[in-house]
Amino acid sequence: VPRDAYKAWLRYAPLNPDQAEEYAPWCGTVVAAFSGHAPLLATACEELRDGIGSMLGRRPQESRSSDSERFLLVGTLDSAELKGLMDEADMEAVGDEGYVLRTVEQPERRFIAIAGKTDKGALYGAFHFLRLLQTGQRIRDLRVVENPAGKLRMIDHWDNMDGSIERGYAGRSVFFHHGAFLGNWNRIRDYARMMAAVGLNAISINNVNVNETATRLIAPELLPSVAKVADVFREYGVRLFLSINFASPIELGGLTTADPLDPQVREWWAERATDVYRHIPDFGGFLVKADSEFRPGPFTYGRDHADGANMLAEALQPYDGVVIWRCFVYDCLQDWRDRSTDRARAAYDHFRPLDGKFRENVILQIKNGPVDFQVREPVSPLFGGMPLTNQVLELQITQEYTGQQRHLCYLVPQWKEAIDFDTYALGEGSTVAGVATGALTDRPLGGFAGIANIGDEPSWTGHILAQANYYGFGRLAWSPTLTSEQITDEWVRITFGNDPAVVETISRMLLDSWHIYENYTSPLGIGWMVNPSHHYGPNVDGYEYSKWGTYHFADNQGIGVNRTVSTGTGYAGQYHDVPAARYESVESCPDELLLFFHHVPYTHVLKSGKTVIQHIYDSHFEGFEQAEGLAEAWRGLEGKVDGDRYASVLSRLQQQSKHAAEWRDVINTYFYRKSGISDAHNRTIY
Ligand code: GCU
């Protein structure tokens, strides 16, 4: 398998001679400047020397003195060398994880300063500088100040200790096998580097569905191994978290209850926390899925989520740890005959009344949509619905419902829509980004969490182009104001080089792919229509008569879920006034979410001018053609992308177009038979 695929965005391919000539004079020497304890600075220098060495063919020397004519000065702003170089305004603008990149011209010497407030900031600055070289930017007059938007920029792994990965599509776990730690430290180190290079600073390594073995991760016998993993991530500024089992006091501690208000239970958790921190002094905290999909939680004891989260938060507080409590809570034993229960409402109904009741070191982790990572969903109304509570936006990088890394589905444009969504919580301009980072609501904690899409496959992600989703998640968590186009352009250049034809073609493919996938799968925001349990491939009624609360209600007249306040489930009323009104009315509801909010006849005319049924036919015929177009576009790159990666991506794109035809035919046939309405263009429907 291609080495280049393994290296992902740390590939550092040799630059063309013109570029090399421009950069080389600056890059002969790396000077470190720091005062006191700054362990990540060594990491930063090492990364610079390796990356530059690989791109320019000459590894920079390391030096503590700055007497060469031109050099890179990497350090912390409080060091003797860097103090006084920056103006007051810049100094003040740099936060704890932030940095400055500055080309400094002095009479006797010129250098590029890569300066963080802390050594961690300097490490991020070093990766930024490397990215400039990878993407062919000018470095002669740098004046950059960067700070991350989100404090928490986290990756959640759904890895089980037997080595399987829940919803994983790229092989087995890089952490665990056979109920134990795999111990492949080099691979974990490479992974930590990849994380730091895109600014990620936290990781939870085990599945939120915590089974028996994983319950023991906080027990004395496994903590030394957990600590070893934490050591590796620490070198790259990444803090380690664990998912915990709410019933641990019973399953691990031998108590008879896990009641969060029971003094013995509280004491048990406090002792566990003390022990965890004895092994891992900078441990991040606990991630919790409770009272959700058969996981234990406070409901068993008649307590609420605030009782549960606060109990754990109290245990972690002395060590600066946080509790990340997931809001993915709903009734998964619903009766499909019961039209009054609406799964989309559940998270808001459970959590909204608890606003203001959580401790300061609790963060609620909320999926982008109210249901479950479908190809299209509205934004969860919890964003902007709980201004007194720390929140984190949870995105699914792993492509569970979006083609399972066999299909190309680049999710950055989808995430951008969620991040930019205006909740109107504090009037116009109250974006999800503002809420999730805490900037809008003035919360101390917040950020972004993404469910990992990597495994032990040599390419990390199976589909090489799926690396872009991981990369893009990291970049957005750092800077949600970046556009999809900017992130895409960066990733393509870093991964495939700067040839304009390559950059143009792959960028287009990525940017179009989500809409293409949406076109040939479930229409107009209704979601699902997948095979139960593994969730791959079309099955229109797969979830229609099930207990999971995910229905489309298609009959011979029409389709969709009435979630209006006036005649439906009332979900639309969970939003603030402006979005609530927009979704409530069938006239103003955007086409792409129409069936999420309204039940309409097949003959209903969309804003596009087409009827719903004709839209279904057209989008599915078109989606298949577009999927074929992706493979065709890629074929145009033969010879411009190295043979191994070319072949690997091509085979996936071919599978995708074949499978898109299956989707097209199943969906079109189903709705033709249901509605009895023919395609206006008389194309083949079975
Ligand atoms: C989805 C997914 C589950 C996962 C759950 C979660 O429902 O299918 O496998 O456990 O999300 O987010 O907890």
Side-chain angles (χ1 to χ4, degrees), residues 158 166-167 207-209 289 292-293 326 328 330 343 367 372-373 394 396 400-401 535:
W158 287 355
E166 177 142 356
R167 313 306 177 187
N207 191 357
V208 286
N209 299 315
K289 174 175 179 178
S292 161
E293 299 184 331
R326 296 179 77 231
F328 184 59
Y330 68 98
R343 170 166 166 182
K367 291 190 184 189
D372 195 7
F373 298 138
E394 178 180 315
Q396 195 181 40
E400 177 176 1
Y401 295 99
H535 298 164

Side-chain angles (χ1 to χ4, degrees), residues 253-272:
L255 303 184
T256 53
T257 176
D259 180 354
L261 300 192
D262 183 296
Q264 264 187 302
V265 170
R266 302 177 87 90
E267 201 182 299
W268 187 85
W269 278 112
E271 280 166 14
R272 282 294 85 227

Side-chain angles (χ1 to χ4, degrees), residues 463-486:
H463 200 314
I464 292 169
L465 301 186
Q467 290 176 356
N469 282 329
Y470 196 112
Y471 180 90
F473 170 77
R475 296 289 290 129
L476 276 180
W478 181 280
S479 180
T481 52
L482 286 171
T483 64
S484 298
E485 288 74 14
Q486 284 171 314

Side-chain angles (χ1 to χ4, degrees), residues 360-576:
E360 288 287 283
N361 60 331
V362 174
I363 307 176
L364 296 188
Q365 183 164 306
I366 306 162
K367 291 190 184 189
N368 59 289
V371 184
D372 195 7
F373 298 138
Q374 299 305 292
V375 67
R376 171 80 66 173
E377 281 186 49
V379 161
S380 167
L382 278 176
F383 294 108
M386 298 184 70
L388 305 175
T389 307
N390 301 321
Q391 301 188 330
V392 155
L393 169 63
E394 178 180 315
L395 299 168
Q396 195 181 40
I397 310 173
T398 192
Q399 290 171 241
E400 177 176 1
Y401 295 99
T402 49
Q404 307 202 346
Q405 276 140 257
R406 291 186 238 178
H407 294 230
L408 173 61
C409 187
Y410 177 57
L411 293 164
V412 168
Q414 188 206 51
W415 299 336
K416 268 301 276 186
E417 284 192 13
I419 284 169
D420 292 343
F421 179 78
D422 195 343
T423 67
Y424 280 83
L426 304 177
E428 199 178 346
S430 306
T431 61
V432 168
V435 175
T437 57
L440 182 84
T441 39
D442 204 15
R443 298 299 315 164
L445 300 172
F448 302 86
I451 317 303
N453 66 344
I454 71 110
D456 72 350
E457 289 224 343
S459 64
W460 296 97
T461 49
H463 200 314
I464 292 169
L465 301 186
Q467 290 176 356
N469 282 329
Y470 196 112
Y471 180 90
F473 170 77
R475 296 289 290 129
L476 276 180
W478 181 280
S479 180
T481 52
L482 286 171
T483 64
S484 298
E485 288 74 14
Q486 284 171 314
I487 295 172
T488 313
D489 183 80
E490 253 179 31
W491 180 80
V492 177
R493 288 174 189 279
I494 289 171
T495 312
F496 291 103
N498 292 307
D499 174 344
V502 173
V503 174
E504 166 67 29
T505 303
I506 302 179
S507 299
R508 255 296 41 92
M509 289 172 65
L510 291 172
L511 289 167
D512 291 345
S513 60
W514 170 46
H515 282 291
I516 294 174
Y517 188 81
E518 181 176 30
N519 276 345
Y520 62 77
T521 58
S522 78
L524 299 167
I526 192 70
W528 305 93
M529 303 193 175
V530 290
N531 285 300
S533 98
H534 61 70
H535 298 164
Y536 189 73
N539 182 346
V540 182
D541 285 338
Y543 276 97
E544 197 56 15
Y545 307 102
S546 75
K547 60 190 180 180
W548 297 96
T550 49
Y551 315 114
H552 54 66
F553 300 129
D555 58 19
N556 64 336
Q557 301 290 316
I559 176 173
V561 188
N562 182 352
R563 294 191 159 106
T564 62
V565 176
S566 51
T567 55
T569 69
Y571 167 80
Q574 292 183 339
Y575 292 92
H576 290 278

Side-chain angles (χ1 to χ4, degrees), residues 148-375:
K151 270 209 183 106
L152 192 72
R153 303 180 303 281
M154 179 160 183
I155 292 291
D156 294 357
H157 277 259
W158 287 355
D159 294 23
N160 299 310
M161 289 195 70
D162 65 4
S164 64
I165 301 175
E166 177 142 356
R167 313 306 177 187
Y169 310 105
R172 312 274 297 170
S173 172
V174 297
F175 300 113
F176 310 115
H177 73 157
H178 304 321
F181 281 82
L182 190 55
N184 190 346
W185 307 116
N186 286 336
R187 182 140 197 172
I188 295 177
R189 177 166 291 103
D190 286 343
Y191 184 44
R193 293 177 58 217
M194 282 163 58
M195 286 186 69
V198 288
L200 294 164
N201 67 359
I203 188 167
S204 170
I205 56 173
N206 65 307
N207 191 357
V208 286
N209 299 315
V210 186
N211 63 22
E212 247 167 80
T213 332
T215 300
R216 309 199 71 81
L217 282 167
I218 52 169
E221 71 271 18
L222 282 177
L223 275 176
S225 302
V226 180
K228 268 174 128 174
V229 178
D231 289 345
V232 177
F233 281 109
R234 183 179 304 109
E235 276 178 58
Y236 291 89
V238 177
R239 273 177 102 178
L240 189 96
F241 286 68
L242 289 173
S243 295
I244 57 99
N245 177 346
F246 196 81
S248 297
I250 303 171
E251 293 183 28
L252 200 59
L255 303 184
T256 53
T257 176
D259 180 354
L261 300 192
D262 183 296
Q264 264 187 302
V265 170
R266 302 177 87 90
E267 201 182 299
W268 187 85
W269 278 112
E271 280 166 14
R272 282 294 85 227
T274 307
D275 206 24
V276 171
Y277 281 91
R278 218 184 346 254
H279 288 88
I280 310 163
D282 59 351
F283 181 68
F286 296 144
L287 173 61
V288 194
K289 174 175 179 178
D291 287 316
S292 161
E293 299 184 331
F294 313 111
R295 302 314 303 154
F299 286 173
T300 310
Y301 311 98
R303 315 297 184 198
D304 64 26
H305 288 281
D307 296 326
N310 288 341
M311 180 257 311
L312 294 170
E314 191 183 72
L316 295 170
Q317 180 119 49
Y319 313 98
D320 241 4
V322 302
V323 172
I324 303 176
W325 191 272
R326 296 179 77 231
C327 293
F328 184 59
V329 177
Y330 68 98
D331 178 3
C332 63
L333 292 173
Q334 202 184 313
D335 184 343
W336 59 267
R337 300 164 193 84
D338 161 24
R339 296 282 286 248
S340 65
T341 306
D342 179 6
R343 170 166 166 182
R345 291 188 59 113
Y348 186 96
D349 285 344
H350 281 296
F351 285 92
R352 169 74 185 82
L354 302 177
D355 192 26
K357 297 206 171 126
F358 292 94
R359 280 174 162 261
E360 288 287 283
N361 60 331
V362 174
I363 307 176
L364 296 188
Q365 183 164 306
I366 306 162
K367 291 190 184 189
N368 59 289
V371 184
D372 195 7
F373 298 138
Q374 299 305 292
V375 67

